[in-house]
Amino acid sequence: MFASITQAEHYAMPTAGDTADAVRNARVAITALELGRGNAAEIARQEAMSRARRSNAWTTQAEHAMYPDLANQVFLQQDLLTDGKPCTICGIYCPHVVTAKIGR
C-alpha cells in the first residue's frame, strides 16, 4: 500500500494525473535517499546520466531517466532528439557545447 498527498488535496479532489505526479515526486525523494545510502546501482545510473548530460546525448539521457517515456516526450516537444544539440535553457551559450568547441 502506498499513500501520497497531492497538491490538489489542498483545494480539490485529486485527479489521476495529480496522483501520478505525487507518486513520481515520491520516487524522486526515494532516489535521493538511495544515493545518500550509497546504493551502487543508483550511483552508477546517476553518473551515466551526468555523462550523457555533459555530452548532450538526449537518447542516452532518456535511457537513464527515471521515466524514459516522459523524458522522450519532453525532448520531442523541445526538438531535442538530435544528440549534441544544446538544451532550451542555455541554447547556444550551453557550457557543454562551448567547452566542447574550444576543446576542453
Side-chain angles (χ1 to χ4, degrees), residues 32-46:
L33 175 67
E34 290 300 319
L35 287 169
R37 288 182 173 171
N39 180 312
E42 188 56 40
I43 291 169
R45 188 177 74 82
Q46 293 294 329

Side-chain angles (χ1 to χ4, degrees), residues 1-99:
M1 172 109 185
F2 179 82
S4 68
I5 297 176
T6 68
Q7 294 177 4
E9 289 179 33
H10 294 281
Y11 52 83
M13 179 61 97
T15 65
D18 295 330
T19 302
D21 287 343
V23 170
R24 282 193 293 273
N25 291 338
R27 187 166 175 210
V28 170
I30 291 167
T31 299
L33 175 67
E34 290 300 319
L35 287 169
R37 288 182 173 171
N39 180 312
E42 188 56 40
I43 291 169
R45 188 177 74 82
Q46 293 294 329
E47 287 175 348
M49 177 65 100
S50 293
R51 285 190 294 278
R53 279 192 193 111
R54 172 69 172 95
S55 61
N56 288 335
W58 302 103
T59 53
T60 305
Q61 285 183 59
E63 291 169 8
H64 294 292
M66 292 176 75
Y67 300 99
D69 292 341
L70 289 176
N72 279 320
Q73 186 178 37
V74 170
F75 297 161
L76 180 62
Q77 290 171 350
Q78 299 295 325
D79 191 30
L80 294 174
L81 293 179
T82 304
D83 282 353
K85 189 172 182 177
C87 73
T88 58
I89 296 172
C90 303
I92 62 170
Y93 302 109
C94 173
H96 303 305
V97 173
V98 172
T99 56

